[in-house]
């Protein structure tokens, strides 16, 4: 009897790990350091008219090394946190350097990365009380700005693939919550979703994934990660627990000794990006 109970226990464990998998090793040394001996992508600042906000809004756009107007690229929308703006990732997370280095090693699918400002309000700077209710609300309003203003602008300005399977959304903290909310809430628009250290703006799991079978069928990749020292880990954990219970494959990475900082987010980006737009996306 004892043996049966034990085997049942291990079977359940096995079943659980199939639906939420830890991704090992930290990024290799130097992954985020500028290399002079390789080709570099390019960063543009774009300005788009937002009907949602009623202003002209800024975003940064990274085009990869070897970028050509004659090719068509998938797009990653990469979102910042509550204290940031469109330059936060660029200044502190150096996605352009991480991506240049990955391209030099042939480890990344060519893609365009858009770094928006996710605080969709007239004054969208991270000044004053960044926790003020109207500023927090602006992170939710960004869903309309993104879908109706920014994505159409990017699609008419850059040579990009326009279907859901070639559009990804990921972000850190408030941007992680936005990515889970907007990505899982608009599966007709996004097939690749990543939430890094997602914040309390993350919707409840039942609201994020009301129809697990449909989410499972449509998603190419759902990635969640958080440091084990981060107070916000409960928002990632409760989502992963629900997905495990409802058999929606996803990656859930808990970073040992990980805090709420760019050390974690750069590492997350390094690993997440390499899965994008590849068949390796979703664990079986
Ligand atoms: C909160 C704690 C953290 C919150 C937001 C955050 C809106 C966001 C942190 C970040 O983006 O780094 O209670 O409420």
């Amino acid at each position: 009897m004892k043996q049966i109970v034990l085997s049942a226990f291990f079977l359940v464990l096995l079943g659980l790990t199939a639906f939420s998998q830890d991704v090992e090793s930290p990024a290799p040394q130097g992954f985020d350091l500028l290399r002079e001996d390789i080709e570099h992508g390019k960063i543009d600042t774009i300005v788009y008219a937002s009907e949602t906000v009623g202003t002209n809004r800024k975003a940064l756009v990274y085009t990869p090394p070897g970028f050509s107007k004659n090719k068509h690229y998938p797009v990653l929308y990469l979102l910042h946190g509550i204290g940031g703006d469109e330059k936060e990732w660029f200044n502190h997370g150096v996605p352009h350097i991480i991506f240049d280095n990955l391209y030099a090693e042939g480890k990344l699918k060519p893609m365009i990365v858009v770094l928006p400002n996710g605080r969709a309000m007239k004054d969208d700077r991270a000044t004053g009380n960044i926790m003020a209710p109207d500023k927090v609300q602006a992170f939710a309003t960004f869903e309309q700005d993104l879908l109706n203003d920014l994505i159409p602008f990017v699609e008419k300005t850059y040579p990009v693939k326009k279907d859901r399977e070639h559009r990804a959304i990921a972000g850190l903290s408030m941007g992680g919550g936005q990515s889970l909310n907007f990505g899982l809430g608009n599966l007709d628009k996004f097939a690749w979703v990543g939430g890094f250290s997602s914040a309390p703006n993350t919707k409840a799991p039942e609201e994020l994934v009301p129809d697990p079978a449909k989410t499972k069928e449509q998603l190419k990749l759902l990635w969640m990660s958080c440091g084990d020292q981060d107070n916000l880990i409960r928002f990632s954990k409760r989502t992963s627990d629900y997905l495990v219970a409802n058999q929606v494959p996803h990656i859930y990475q808990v970073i040992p000794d990980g805090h709420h900082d760019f050390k974690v987010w750069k590492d997350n980006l390094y690993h997440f990006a390499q899965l994008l737009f590849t068949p390796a996306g979703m664990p079986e």
Side-chain angles (χ1 to χ4, degrees):
M1 182 60 192
K2 201 169 162 196
Q3 259 186 344
I4 295 176
V5 172
L6 262 182
S7 342
F9 176 73
F10 281 113
L11 269 178
V12 168
L13 256 191
L14 239 164
L16 285 181
T17 50
F19 287 101
S20 79
Q21 124 194 347
D22 286 343
V23 177
E24 37 12 274
S25 60
Q29 275 225 320
F31 80 104
D32 58 347
L33 298 181
L34 180 69
R35 279 176 55 182
E36 298 292 356
D37 59 327
I38 59 169
E39 254 197 283
H40 298 138
K42 191 165 155 279
I43 292 271
D44 302 328
T45 298
I46 58 166
V47 179
Y48 64 101
S50 166
E51 275 199 33
T52 303
V53 180
T55 53
N56 291 329
R57 311 196 66 231
K58 284 185 188 158
L60 303 189
V61 176
Y62 166 85
T63 49
F67 171 75
S68 157
K69 288 232 144 137
N70 301 322
K71 293 184 192 156
H72 284 87
Y73 295 86
V75 186
L76 164 64
Y77 291 85
L78 185 60
L79 312 181
H80 62 80
I82 200 155
D85 58 26
E86 71 280 0
K87 290 197 184 143
E88 185 182 39
W89 265 107
F90 177 73
N91 285 335
H92 303 288
V94 294
H96 51 302
I97 296 178
I98 295 172
F99 276 37
D100 286 347
N101 293 345
L102 282 171
Y103 285 119
E105 296 194 11
K107 288 183 172 166
L108 200 57
K109 281 272 186 291
M111 70 184 87
I112 288 177
V113 185
V114 179
L115 310 175
N117 181 315
R119 189 182 295 97
M121 63 195 294
K122 288 201 161 68
D123 176 2
D124 60 11
R125 297 301 100 190
T127 50
N129 176 12
I130 54 172
M131 291 281 187
D134 60 329
K135 299 198 180 188
V136 171
Q137 172 56 40
F139 279 83
T141 306
F142 181 62
E143 181 169 9
Q144 301 317 315
D145 179 281
L146 174 66
L147 297 178
N148 302 329
D149 303 311
L150 178 56
I151 290 177
F153 181 86
V154 168
E155 294 186 344
K156 94 179 173 247
T157 312
Y158 289 89
V160 301
K161 296 188 177 170
K162 300 180 183 175
D163 57 309
R164 59 183 292 283
E165 300 210 355
H166 295 97
R167 198 180 291 121
I169 186 165
L172 70 90
S173 203
M174 283 298 273
Q178 287 177 311
S179 298
L180 298 177
N181 295 346
F182 308 166
L184 297 172
N186 297 279
L187 289 170
D188 59 325
K189 300 285 190 330
F190 301 98
W192 310 80
V193 179
F196 310 159
S197 317
S198 298
N201 62 332
T202 307
K203 289 181 180 168
E206 299 75 13
E207 211 182 324
L208 278 179
V209 182
D211 183 349
K214 183 176 166 212
T215 300
K216 176 176 174 172
E217 182 195 298
Q218 297 217 293
L219 270 180
K220 293 285 178 194
L221 173 64
L222 174 53
W223 165 295
M224 285 179 298
S225 47
C226 196
D228 64 0
Q229 302 301 306
D230 189 327
N231 285 330
L232 300 182
I233 195 166
R234 63 187 182 280
F235 299 101
S236 299
K237 184 173 184 310
R238 74 175 186 195
T239 311
S240 176
D241 288 347
Y242 173 89
L243 295 170
V244 169
N246 289 280
Q247 308 194 346
V248 180
H250 62 288
I251 291 174
Y252 178 46
Q253 189 184 22
V254 177
I255 315 291
D257 198 34
H259 294 258
H260 198 71
D261 62 22
F262 268 99
K263 181 167 188 285
V264 164
W265 302 323
K266 288 197 287 189
D267 193 271
N268 293 166
L269 181 65
Y270 173 86
H271 287 103
F272 171 76
Q274 292 178 66
L275 300 175
L276 286 180
F277 313 119
T278 76
M282 208 71 171
E284 285 303 315

mmCIF file of all heavy atoms in Angstrom, residues 81-82 131 136 173-174 199-200 232 260, ligand 1:
data_model
loop_
_atom_site.group_PDB
_atom_site.id
_atom_site.type_symbol
_atom_site.label_atom_id
_atom_site.label_comp_id
_atom_site.label_asym_id
_atom_site.label_seq_id
_atom_site.Cartn_x
_atom_site.Cartn_y
_atom_site.Cartn_z
ATOM 1 N N GLY A 81 8.331 48.865 -16.340
ATOM 2 C CA GLY A 81 7.680 48.813 -15.026
ATOM 3 C C GLY A 81 7.117 50.156 -14.580
ATOM 4 O O GLY A 81 7.136 51.143 -15.325
ATOM 5 N N ILE A 82 6.655 50.199 -13.331
ATOM 6 C CA ILE A 82 5.895 51.353 -12.840
ATOM 7 C C ILE A 82 6.756 52.609 -12.747
ATOM 8 O O ILE A 82 6.244 53.724 -12.858
ATOM 9 C CB ILE A 82 5.224 51.034 -11.480
ATOM 10 C CG1 ILE A 82 4.073 51.998 -11.221
ATOM 11 C CG2 ILE A 82 6.235 51.053 -10.328
ATOM 12 C CD1 ILE A 82 3.022 51.448 -10.291
ATOM 13 N N MET A 131 2.695 55.939 -8.085
ATOM 14 C CA MET A 131 1.641 55.011 -7.643
ATOM 15 C C MET A 131 0.256 55.675 -7.642
ATOM 16 O O MET A 131 -0.729 55.035 -7.242
ATOM 17 C CB MET A 131 1.937 54.513 -6.223
ATOM 18 C CG MET A 131 3.136 53.601 -6.118
ATOM 19 S SD MET A 131 2.684 51.943 -6.665
ATOM 20 C CE MET A 131 4.173 51.049 -6.250
ATOM 21 N N VAL A 136 -1.616 54.583 -12.330
ATOM 22 C CA VAL A 136 -1.758 53.125 -12.369
ATOM 23 C C VAL A 136 -2.827 52.755 -13.413
ATOM 24 O O VAL A 136 -2.644 51.830 -14.215
ATOM 25 C CB VAL A 136 -2.106 52.573 -10.971
ATOM 26 C CG1 VAL A 136 -2.467 51.092 -11.039
ATOM 27 C CG2 VAL A 136 -0.926 52.787 -10.015
ATOM 28 N N SER A 173 7.349 43.452 -14.337
ATOM 29 C CA SER A 173 6.533 44.013 -13.269
ATOM 30 C C SER A 173 5.188 44.565 -13.764
ATOM 31 O O SER A 173 4.374 43.786 -14.240
ATOM 32 C CB SER A 173 7.339 45.031 -12.471
ATOM 33 O OG SER A 173 6.763 45.140 -11.190
ATOM 34 N N MET A 174 4.936 45.897 -13.723
ATOM 35 C CA MET A 174 3.662 46.390 -14.275
ATOM 36 C C MET A 174 3.536 45.944 -15.729
ATOM 37 O O MET A 174 2.444 45.598 -16.190
ATOM 38 C CB MET A 174 3.574 47.912 -14.202
ATOM 39 C CG MET A 174 3.259 48.472 -12.828
ATOM 40 S SD MET A 174 1.652 47.956 -12.179
ATOM 41 C CE MET A 174 0.576 49.219 -12.864
ATOM 42 N N ALA A 199 3.315 42.286 -11.642
ATOM 43 C CA ALA A 199 2.861 43.131 -10.529
ATOM 44 C C ALA A 199 1.396 42.851 -10.164
ATOM 45 O O ALA A 199 0.734 42.033 -10.817
ATOM 46 C CB ALA A 199 3.083 44.597 -10.903
ATOM 47 N N PRO A 200 0.890 43.568 -9.122
ATOM 48 C CA PRO A 200 -0.505 43.341 -8.691
ATOM 49 C C PRO A 200 -1.549 43.724 -9.738
ATOM 50 O O PRO A 200 -2.731 43.428 -9.551
ATOM 51 C CB PRO A 200 -0.644 44.258 -7.459
ATOM 52 C CG PRO A 200 0.739 44.510 -6.994
ATOM 53 C CD PRO A 200 1.616 44.441 -8.197
ATOM 54 N N LEU A 232 6.449 40.181 -4.903
ATOM 55 C CA LEU A 232 5.344 40.057 -5.851
ATOM 56 C C LEU A 232 5.184 38.631 -6.380
ATOM 57 O O LEU A 232 4.328 38.384 -7.219
ATOM 58 C CB LEU A 232 5.547 41.023 -7.027
ATOM 59 C CG LEU A 232 5.626 42.514 -6.665
ATOM 60 C CD1 LEU A 232 5.766 43.356 -7.936
ATOM 61 C CD2 LEU A 232 4.402 42.968 -5.881
ATOM 62 N N HIS A 260 13.669 42.016 -7.149
ATOM 63 C CA HIS A 260 12.858 42.756 -8.119
ATOM 64 C C HIS A 260 13.783 43.730 -8.846
ATOM 65 O O HIS A 260 13.788 44.928 -8.552
ATOM 66 C CB HIS A 260 11.745 43.495 -7.359
ATOM 67 C CG HIS A 260 10.600 43.930 -8.219
ATOM 68 N ND1 HIS A 260 9.687 43.043 -8.760
ATOM 69 C CD2 HIS A 260 10.210 45.159 -8.665
ATOM 70 C CE1 HIS A 260 8.796 43.707 -9.473
ATOM 71 N NE2 HIS A 260 9.097 44.986 -9.429
HETATM 72 C C1 LIG B 1 2.233 47.558 -6.177
HETATM 73 C C2 LIG B 1 3.512 47.055 -6.057
HETATM 74 C C3 LIG B 1 4.376 47.085 -7.160
HETATM 75 C C4 LIG B 1 1.797 48.067 -7.413
HETATM 76 C C5 LIG B 1 2.658 48.087 -8.488
HETATM 77 C C6 LIG B 1 3.949 47.601 -8.381
HETATM 78 C C7 LIG B 1 0.063 49.131 -8.603
HETATM 79 C C8 LIG B 1 4.803 47.669 -9.541
HETATM 80 C C9 LIG B 1 6.145 47.525 -9.512
HETATM 81 C C10 LIG B 1 6.962 47.689 -10.747
HETATM 82 O O1 LIG B 1 6.416 47.916 -11.842
HETATM 83 O O2 LIG B 1 8.172 47.550 -10.617
HETATM 84 O O3 LIG B 1 1.373 47.518 -5.147
HETATM 85 O O4 LIG B 1 0.511 48.515 -7.461
#
